[in-house]
Amino acid sequence: MKLGIQRMKRVSATATVALTAGAVIAGGAFASTAQAAAPPVPTIVAKGGFVMNNGTGKTLFTKAADTRRSTGSTTKIMTARVVLAQKGLNLDSKVTVQKAYSDYIVAKGGSSARLIVGDKVTVRQLLYGLMLPSGCDAAYALADKFGSGSTRAARVKSFIGKMNSTAKTLGLKNTHFDSFDGISNGSNYSTPRDLTKLASSAMKYSAFRAVVKTKSTKQKVTTKSGGYRYMSWTNTNKLLGTYSGAIGVKTGSGPTARYCLVFAATRNGKTVIGTVLTSTSEATRTADAKKLMDYGFKK
């Protein structure tokens, strides 16, 4: 009888070991399956790209993320960031549109907010004109308003200086500005990583977030004669309304910059933010950004 009980215990122990081993093997199989299910790293057309989790700062994707490149109008993120950081800023203070601003965009062939000489526009409206239609005239007006000096040239130089000192403060080691709008004089550059960090910093300002998520706007401005007119601006960022959760940020283009896009989206409480530089067309920069955000949300 005792012999029979001992045999039964041995059989039971053997079965337990077999079950445990099976569980370990099965667990390993499940782990392998989970690893295999990790999202494939996307391929993008752009020469440079970077994506991070905006909440944690964790890097999610890099492609030549620290290579300096021309940035086009994504430069205007810094223009807005400098304005919004001014002490005692009154977004409703008015700026009179000068002939120099319109002459500048004609001379440079720059993108325009179609500001009309003599109109009085608010700083807030200039930010919309800066970020939606990418108005170089609006950028000039803001640089002239918020730079220091007795001449327009001195004020513009001062404002660009503020852009560069802000870049330094933010730790953007591969970034330099020589213009207020991205129409470069040869040394206006940044990287996908730096631009993403800059955009993340700018998005901390509620006024910035409100502007860059706007698809289109109609703004009432005061004319030279004291009447009023409406200015209509449409955002050049095609992600708004076409990508679920898109909340900004800024397009850019130029002969050297080609096609650039700084982008951000929020889904289920998670915000991903990133940049693509030197893509080949408007369509490819948008497609690149969508791929990177899809990937970022799965990571």
Side-chain angles (χ1 to χ4, degrees):
M1 184 66 179
K2 284 183 180 178
L3 189 63
I5 289 169
Q6 287 173 347
R7 185 178 293 127
M8 285 174 67
K9 283 181 178 179
R10 283 199 300 272
V11 170
S12 177
T14 303
T16 301
V17 169
L19 280 169
T20 303
V24 169
I25 292 166
F30 285 132
S32 299
T33 303
Q35 288 170 356
V41 178
T43 301
I44 59 172
V45 175
K47 289 186 177 179
F50 182 81
V51 179
M52 73 178 189
N53 181 320
N54 194 51
T56 64
K58 181 184 177 184
T59 297
L60 303 175
F61 173 92
T62 64
K63 176 183 177 181
D66 299 307
T67 300
R68 297 174 178 181
R69 299 187 186 280
S70 179
T71 58
S73 286
T74 60
T75 296
K76 290 169 179 149
I77 297 170
M78 180 61 93
T79 310
R81 172 68 174 70
V82 168
V83 169
L84 291 167
Q86 300 299 304
K87 289 181 180 178
L89 176 67
N90 178 6
L91 288 169
D92 297 315
S93 64
K94 291 190 174 180
V95 176
T96 301
V97 178
Q98 304 294 316
K99 186 173 183 291
Y101 311 156
S102 55
D103 287 349
Y104 171 81
I105 57 169
V106 170
K108 296 288 188 178
S111 48
S112 173
R114 303 183 307 283
L115 300 179
I116 296 172
V117 177
D119 280 4
K120 289 180 173 60
V121 296
T122 67
V123 172
R124 191 190 310 274
Q125 288 169 336
L126 285 173
L127 288 171
Y128 278 99
L130 173 79
M131 300 302 285
L132 271 65
S134 199
C136 297
D137 45 356
Y140 197 166
L142 289 166
D144 192 10
K145 166 76 173 174
F146 292 101
S148 303
S150 57
T151 66
R152 185 172 291 121
R155 291 190 292 274
V156 166
K157 184 177 180 180
S158 161
F159 187 86
I160 295 169
K162 289 182 181 183
M163 293 170 73
N164 285 315
S165 61
T166 301
K168 192 172 183 179
T169 301
L170 293 174
L172 311 182
K173 296 178 180 178
N174 291 302
T175 296
H176 183 266
F177 300 105
D178 67 7
S179 72
F180 47 72
D181 57 3
I183 298 178
S184 177
N185 297 306
S187 56
N188 203 90
Y189 58 79
S190 189
T191 68
R193 190 190 306 272
D194 277 6
L195 276 175
T196 302
K197 289 182 177 179
L198 168 59
S200 180
S201 171
M203 291 290 268
K204 291 175 182 175
Y205 293 88
S206 59
F208 185 87
R209 294 195 303 273
V211 169
V212 298
K213 74 178 183 182
T214 301
K215 284 178 67 177
S216 62
T217 186
K218 183 182 276 190
Q219 299 281 333
K220 185 178 182 179
V221 303
T222 305
T223 65
K224 187 177 183 178
S225 63
Y228 65 88
R229 77 171 96 249
Y230 286 97
M231 303 295 289
S232 295
W233 294 310
T234 301
N235 205 318
T236 54
N237 184 359
K238 305 301 183 193
L239 289 172
L240 298 172
T242 68
Y243 188 85
S244 175
I247 55 173
V249 175
K250 184 74 186 76
T251 60
S253 62
T256 307
R258 302 292 289 145
Y259 295 89
C260 312
L261 183 56
V262 182
F263 50 85
T266 300
R267 290 182 184 174
N268 301 318
K270 178 181 180 179
T271 298
V272 296
I273 188 165
T275 300
V276 288
L277 292 181
T278 326
S279 200
T280 55
S281 67
E282 286 187 18
T284 54
R285 75 180 173 194
T286 303
D288 284 345
K290 287 181 176 180
K291 280 184 189 179
L292 294 186
M293 286 188 290
D294 284 347
Y295 180 70
F297 283 124
K298 289 173 185 174
K299 285 283 282 183

